[in-house]
Amino acid sequence: MDISLVVPAYNESGNIRQFLHAAQEVLGSTGMSYEIVVVNDGSTDDTLAQLMLLIGGHPELRVIDLSRNFGKEAALTAGMDAATGRAVIPMDADLQHPPKLIPLLIERWQQGFDVVLCRRASRDTDHWLQRWVSRLFYRVHNAVAELDIPPDVGDFRLLDRRVVEALRLLPERRRFMKGIFAWVGFRTTVVEFEADARYSGTSHFSGWRLWNFALEGITSFSTVPLRIWTYVGGVVSLAAIGYATKVVISTIVSGTDLPGYPSLFCAILFLGGVQLIGIGVLGEYIGRIYSEVKQRPIYLVRSRHGFSVDA
Ligand code: UDP
Ligand code: MG
């Protein structure tokens, strides 16, 4: 097998048929052998039924039905675990990742690159707030994380088999794919593309979900938020010592006066807030440790279809 497409699909009933059609047309024209691994991530619409209808006439189609909605990152992992191609291309099912780019990815791969990233040339289809927040995220992430993730690069990319095998060595349950992809490294090149609008339906990622995704990213690949509290504590303690010295000296020099009650109140509130934030950050990491030590599987498969050797 030369090429495996890995397609997570969650309630994509309005897109999946068109996507498969477009992908097959492009892949067929490359003259390479290929498979399309669609991972049904617990869809509540008729995505799975549509796939089951299509699978009879399409020997290159494979379907993995997960037992519930595990989220896009887990679905991608499931698909990549099952993919057998010498190169693997994760793609969204909503046609935002144009299949016509695939031949270019293959060309770069054949030139010897292990990873071919697809960077969005512009984000014109996004709301200005979305663009601003995403820029902020990349800036913060790359400032605090041990590894930079390239901005405007999504999960759409080509991965050589060795990269896929390397990815499988990372056992974490909480999978921030952008970070994991960056962590493994390998010879990388970038191509630009114009993301299309969603073919049908709306995005599954709300503002709140994206916020949590951003937290996930930063805490998965950085311990700076944990360590920063040592320095915050140090600065606050130094300021307190300085202030205490001033109080002692002014008491010796000019006797006691009644210290202000408002300033005391502000200091207590401020320090209480700082401590709570520090504890919250600790909690964030402890929560992460908790979900890692439980060693639960990343996803559960309900059924597989279209695989020659059913595991
Ligand atoms: N997706 C998934 N599980 C989820 C949410 C999304 O498998 O819980 C899939 C979805 O079907 C699509 C891809 O992930 O193929 C990207 O989702 P979406 O288009 O909603 O995100 P956006 O393009 O807005 O980032
Ligand atoms: Mg999309």
Side-chain angles (χ1 to χ4, degrees), residues 3 87-91 101-119 150 153-161 163 181 185-193:
I3 309 289
V88 174
I89 308 180
M91 274 178 101
L101 207 67
I102 294 174
L104 179 61
L105 299 182
I106 295 176
E107 194 185 307
R108 289 295 158 86
W109 173 55
Q110 285 171 334
Q111 286 166 4
F113 288 102
D114 302 316
V115 180
V116 188
L117 303 176
C118 304
R119 181 168 49 219
V153 170
D155 295 325
F156 183 28
R157 57 185 67 207
L158 181 145
L159 305 163
D160 186 81
R161 169 67 26 203
V163 184
F181 284 145
F186 288 92
R187 285 193 64 193
T188 303
T189 183
V190 181
V191 299
E192 304 230 313
F193 79 106

Side-chain angles (χ1 to χ4, degrees), residues 4-271:
S4 299
L5 289 199
V6 171
V7 187
Y10 174 54
N11 293 348
E12 299 288 6
S13 132
N15 295 315
I16 195 73
R17 205 174 265 276
Q18 283 77 8
F19 171 81
L20 288 174
H21 185 72
Q24 272 162 338
E25 208 166 76
V26 173
L27 283 164
S29 71
T30 61
M32 303 185 102
S33 59
Y34 67 93
E35 62 178 359
I36 303 181
V37 182
V38 181
V39 184
N40 176 42
D41 187 16
S43 299
T44 50
D45 65 2
D46 67 343
T47 302
L48 182 66
Q50 291 207 29
L51 288 167
M52 289 299 101
L53 279 180
L54 290 167
I55 205 163
H58 296 273
E60 64 290 338
L61 183 61
R62 322 253 182 273
V63 177
I64 301 176
D65 185 28
L66 299 186
S67 64
R68 64 169 169 86
N69 178 252
F70 280 90
K72 182 185 177 186
E73 316 275 306
L76 264 183
T77 306
M80 292 202 296
D81 285 348
T84 56
R86 288 192 296 118
V88 174
I89 308 180
M91 274 178 101
D92 286 0
D94 57 5
L95 287 159
Q96 287 194 290
H97 299 159
K100 61 176 185 289
L101 207 67
I102 294 174
L104 179 61
L105 299 182
I106 295 176
E107 194 185 307
R108 289 295 158 86
W109 173 55
Q110 285 171 334
Q111 286 166 4
F113 288 102
D114 302 316
V115 180
V116 188
L117 303 176
C118 304
R119 181 168 49 219
R120 293 177 64 178
S122 71
R123 297 184 73 111
D124 294 343
T125 47
D126 289 359
H127 191 255
W128 65 267
L129 188 67
Q130 225 173 342
R131 264 178 289 178
W132 186 80
V133 172
S134 114
R135 244 201 331 264
L136 184 72
F137 166 72
Y138 286 112
R139 194 158 306 161
V140 172
H141 182 279
N142 292 347
V144 302
E146 51 195 283
L147 284 167
D148 285 3
I149 54 176
D152 300 334
V153 170
D155 295 325
F156 183 28
R157 57 185 67 207
L158 181 145
L159 305 163
D160 186 81
R161 169 67 26 203
R162 340 171 220 241
V163 184
V164 176
E165 292 308 320
L167 289 170
R168 297 182 66 178
L169 296 177
L170 274 74
E172 49 239 78
R173 322 277 118 185
R174 310 284 292 258
R175 299 185 83 74
F176 180 65
M177 278 303 193
K178 284 178 200 246
I180 291 177
F181 284 145
W183 189 88
V184 295
F186 288 92
R187 285 193 64 193
T188 303
T189 183
V190 181
V191 299
E192 304 230 313
F193 79 106
E194 225 33 89
D196 298 322
R198 218 169 199 288
Y199 185 79
S200 147
T202 52
S203 172
H204 301 98
F205 291 87
S206 63
W208 180 242
R209 207 165 157 184
L210 282 176
W211 164 252
N212 282 313
F213 191 59
L215 279 188
E216 184 91 37
I218 289 171
T219 49
S220 292
F221 283 89
S222 171
T223 52
V224 169
L226 273 178
R227 282 179 290 138
I228 201 169
W229 298 102
T230 317
Y231 301 99
V232 172
V235 169
V236 171
S237 307
L238 279 181
I241 291 170
Y243 187 68
T245 316
K246 176 189 166 278
V247 170
V248 168
I249 292 173
S250 72
T251 309
I252 293 169
V253 172
S254 53
T256 35
D257 59 351
L258 192 63
Y261 153 79
S263 59
L264 194 67
F265 196 70
C266 288
I268 291 174
L269 277 188
F270 174 72
L271 286 182

